[in-house]
Amino acid sequence: MLKQIFSDKKISFLVILLAVVARIIQLIYFFNIRVDGMYQALATQNFVTGHGFSNSFVSPSNLSSIIYEPQINWPPGYSLLLSPFYLLLNNNYIYAGIALDILAAIALIFIARKILRILSTQEYIINLFTLMMAFYIYPFYFICSSDAIAITFFTLAIYHTLKLFISSKEKTKSFIIIAIGLTLSGLIKYLFIPIVFVVPIFLYWRGYTDKNISLKKSGTLLFGTLFLLLGSLLLWQKLNSGSATYISSTERGFYPENILNTYPALSASVISPETIDLSIAASQNTSNIIFRLSQIIHFILLVVGIAYLIRYIKRKKQTLQQNFFYLSVLISISIIILLSIISLFVGKEENIPGHWWTYVEDSRYYGLLIILMQLSIFTFLSLNKSYFIKAKYIIVIAFLFFLPETLRGIIFTGNRILKAGSEEYSWQYEKSIQDYSKELMDSQLKKYPEAKAAVTGNSYYMYYRIGMSNGIPVMNDTKTLNNVTALNAKHPTLLFIVEDENNPLAKPENSELIGYFRGYTFYMIYVQPH
């Protein structure tokens, strides 16, 4: 009965529609550029105004002259992709970011379905996967970031990699799409720059073992293309900024204790420790035990995956499903190893006050791994080989473990619908402050038409957003506010100061109180050349 219902074309349409609508609802709720996206949006703003992918600010000694520095903390891919949306949506980085996220998320749904279909997965299983995917709250959506965009391009490249194995037609087209998809993944996410090379290496290896000259050529050419394109990016950044890439923490050494914080991504592909905690209302001690057990399962699965690769990778003439399993495991292991190596040799960073963070514990970095593991499970469900029968019972049991995540997503999405119009999202809260500041600053600039403007304060999180929404530069050196005589400009400038009431500033000398809104006090200093 279930198979018949979910195999119907009309049901397929409804499932896709439900998945798209549910994902849009979730993304609109979760959207927030946070800190990473803030700098990337600023790079977009500077790029479209002809200043390249850069960070911009003013110095206290000359508030009227903007300084532009190359932005290398993040690769330029996200800022580049955001640019057309930013221009089309009236230079509004919030709406641009939401539009780009929604477009990428919808594309990921269709790409995942295409991967399952090319792997001969039955239609009802594809639809069940789509439902699960729609309500699984992926960490790269929950923690809104550019990871989601990079993952979409990577999965697109994987789909076309599979096409190279089954069809001699349109190989050139598939190769181009693979190269573009993997290049954009690396351009968006530094983490993916080494990972994308797994694909050409895998193609070359399969071509070598199967004596398939076409695959060997594709692998070699793809490796060279990626090396040239991504190498050019890193060289360009090195020449322009003195550094090819960026790792935030400056501490280097050997930190094996960091591995104890590894996020159990392999087990979380089915059910995350956070969902288990919520399901049983776990105490802190119980939560710690659940997390450690999830880690144990994660490391067991990692060892099994490595053993699987070693045992089967040399076999010739594998099925397309087996090649997908190999590639998925290879990519997943590469991600785990890369994050582990970085965390072993780079010290922890205090990303928010009182919280120390390292790469291996960040769940969003495992997003691609989670997607590939889920696709592998549902592909495995569709296999009909007799020697898989016993294993399929295990997979069916594993499938049942998807239910808590799915139910959690359904409840969450349902609550968003029920509370529509009555709850304020974080980006709406921030936008209200930005809109208020724009009216306030515009009114002051009308009083002083000869003046330029800059903004500063005791919350860089907010004054950067206000600066971007108003199109004015920021001043990061707030120490000079204690000595306003150090402020200077070659042109009359209004320096707006945004004070977070939770962290009061000593009122700057000669400053004028001009407004208050939602916990933020606004001051202004008129700075004349001297």
Side-chain angles (χ1 to χ4, degrees):
M1 178 66 76
L2 183 68
K3 181 176 179 179
Q4 290 178 337
I5 293 174
F6 280 92
S7 296
D8 186 87
K9 289 185 179 180
K10 294 179 181 178
I11 296 298
S12 294
F13 174 79
L14 291 175
V15 165
I16 294 171
L17 180 62
L18 176 61
V20 169
V21 171
R23 187 63 80 212
I24 291 174
I25 291 171
Q26 295 159 13
L27 290 177
I28 291 175
Y29 178 84
F30 285 130
F31 181 80
N32 193 301
I33 62 171
R34 300 177 183 267
V35 175
D36 291 12
M38 179 178 75
Y39 289 107
Q40 290 172 300
L42 179 59
T44 294
Q45 192 174 68
N46 290 334
F47 172 70
V48 301
T49 54
H51 299 287
F53 299 108
S54 59
N55 188 14
S56 56
F57 56 92
V58 294
S59 69
S61 60
N62 187 4
L63 294 172
S64 59
S65 180
I66 303 175
I67 300 168
Y68 296 93
E69 290 184 348
Q71 173 64 275
I72 66 157
N73 293 29
W74 299 267
Y78 178 79
S79 300
L80 177 64
L81 292 173
L82 188 66
S83 299
F85 295 92
Y86 179 76
L87 292 172
L88 287 171
L89 294 169
N90 197 30
N91 295 348
N92 188 306
Y93 70 86
I94 293 176
Y95 295 151
I98 292 174
L100 178 56
D101 282 0
I102 288 174
L103 183 63
I106 293 173
L108 183 59
I109 291 170
F110 283 96
I111 294 166
R113 288 177 62 88
K114 279 182 169 291
I115 288 175
L116 290 174
R117 189 163 285 117
I118 202 174
L119 294 172
S120 302
T121 306
Q122 296 171 1
E123 188 68 18
Y124 81 99
I125 292 180
I126 294 176
N127 286 330
L128 289 174
F129 172 85
T130 306
L131 284 175
M132 181 281 301
M133 187 182 194
F135 295 105
Y136 187 102
I137 308 298
Y138 292 100
F140 49 83
Y141 292 140
F142 176 71
I143 308 172
C144 184
S145 64
S146 60
D147 296 64
I149 317 296
I151 288 167
T152 297
F153 281 110
F154 210 124
T155 53
L156 177 64
I158 289 173
Y159 168 68
H160 282 276
T161 299
L162 295 174
K163 288 188 72 174
L164 290 180
F165 283 91
I166 62 173
S167 175
S168 58
K169 297 179 181 179
E170 299 184 341
K171 278 200 170 184
T172 301
K173 177 182 175 182
S174 288
F175 178 87
I176 293 172
I177 294 174
I178 295 168
I180 292 173
L182 294 178
T183 300
L184 285 173
S185 296
L187 284 175
I188 295 169
K189 191 77 181 169
Y190 280 133
L191 171 69
F192 283 149
I193 290 180
I195 302 300
V196 297
F197 288 96
V198 171
V199 176
I201 291 171
F202 178 77
L203 282 173
Y204 183 88
W205 177 254
R206 295 316 303 170
Y208 172 77
T209 56
D210 295 346
K211 294 181 170 52
N212 187 322
I213 296 175
S214 177
L215 286 179
K216 286 179 66 176
K217 286 183 177 179
S218 295
T220 304
L221 184 58
L222 181 59
F223 189 97
T225 302
L226 293 174
F227 186 84
L228 176 64
L229 294 175
L230 294 174
S232 297
L233 164 69
L234 299 180
L235 178 61
W236 173 75
Q237 293 193 158
K238 177 69 175 178
L239 294 175
N240 280 275
S241 68
S243 179
T245 59
Y246 175 81
I247 294 179
S248 54
S249 176
T250 57
E251 290 188 31
R252 300 293 185 270
F254 186 61
Y255 308 95
E257 66 276 9
N258 288 350
I259 302 303
L260 294 175
N261 297 317
T262 296
Y263 183 73
L266 291 172
S267 57
S269 300
V270 176
I271 181 169
S272 67
E274 298 87 356
T275 297
I276 299 174
D277 290 345
L278 288 172
S279 300
I280 63 174
S283 64
Q284 185 61 50
N285 287 337
T286 304
S287 179
N288 291 336
I289 293 171
I290 290 170
F291 187 80
R292 293 305 179 196
L293 289 174
S294 297
Q295 283 184 317
I296 292 171
I297 296 172
H298 168 83
F299 286 117
I300 290 173
L301 291 173
L302 176 61
V303 172
V304 170
I306 294 172
Y308 173 77
L309 274 181
I310 294 172
R311 181 173 180 180
Y312 292 106
I313 196 68
K314 292 183 180 180
R315 291 191 177 184
K316 300 178 181 179
K317 303 298 180 184
Q318 300 293 320
T319 65
L320 188 63
Q321 292 92 339
Q322 288 169 324
N323 280 319
F324 174 69
F325 294 152
Y326 298 149
L327 181 57
S328 297
V329 172
L330 195 57
I331 290 172
S332 299
I333 291 173
S334 299
I335 291 172
I336 293 171
I337 291 175
L338 178 60
L339 290 173
S340 298
I341 290 173
I342 296 174
S343 296
L344 273 173
F345 297 103
V346 177
K348 284 189 174 184
E349 170 192 356
E350 191 176 18
N351 58 343
I352 57 175
H355 180 264
W356 293 87
W357 167 95
T358 186
Y359 294 86
V360 79
E361 69 183 73
D362 199 323
S363 58
R364 66 195 162 114
Y365 288 166
Y366 298 93
L368 179 60
L369 178 157
I370 292 172
I371 292 287
L372 292 177
M373 291 301 100
Q374 291 175 347
L375 286 169
S376 296
I377 291 171
F378 278 83
T379 299
F380 201 63
L381 277 169
S382 199
L383 294 176
N384 294 316
K385 298 281 180 97
S386 59
Y387 55 84
F388 282 127
I389 290 176
K390 290 183 179 180
K392 285 176 72 171
Y393 288 119
I394 299 174
I395 300 301
V396 169
I397 293 172
F399 174 71
L400 294 176
F401 281 100
F402 280 113
L403 290 179
E405 290 288 353
T406 305
L407 290 173
R408 179 186 177 188
I410 290 172
I411 293 170
F412 172 83
T413 308
N415 282 333
R416 302 290 72 75
I417 296 172
L418 293 173
K419 295 179 181 180
S422 64
E423 62 181 355
E424 184 179 45
Y425 305 150
S426 62
W427 63 267
Q428 292 175 322
Y429 164 74
E430 292 173 3
K431 186 176 183 298
S432 70
I433 297 172
Q434 293 168 40
D435 290 344
Y436 172 81
S437 70
K438 183 169 181 58
E439 291 182 10
L440 190 68
M441 293 178 182
D442 284 349
S443 67
Q444 294 298 323
L445 287 167
K446 285 180 182 179
K447 294 180 184 179
Y448 304 94
E450 77 284 0
K452 294 187 177 183
V455 63
T456 189
N458 60 351
S459 170
Y460 78 96
Y461 184 92
M462 186 53 68
Y463 73 69
Y464 257 95
R465 283 161 164 73
I466 290 173
M468 287 191 295
S469 63
N470 286 277
I472 62 177
V474 302
M475 185 190 80
N476 293 317
D477 186 359
T478 58
K479 294 179 181 179
T480 52
L481 294 177
N482 298 321
N483 179 22
V484 294
T485 57
L487 297 173
N488 200 358
K490 292 184 178 180
H491 192 280
T493 302
L494 298 181
L495 178 61
F496 296 101
I497 303 167
V498 184
E499 178 191 56
D500 182 351
E501 67 179 3
N502 295 317
N503 183 26
L505 278 168
K507 186 180 177 182
E509 186 181 344
N510 298 330
S511 64
E512 176 187 351
L513 175 64
I514 58 173
Y516 174 85
F517 187 71
R518 306 193 74 169
Y520 290 91
T521 304
F522 294 80
Y523 299 96
M524 184 186 75
I525 300 176
Y526 185 86
V527 180
Q528 295 189 30
H530 61 85

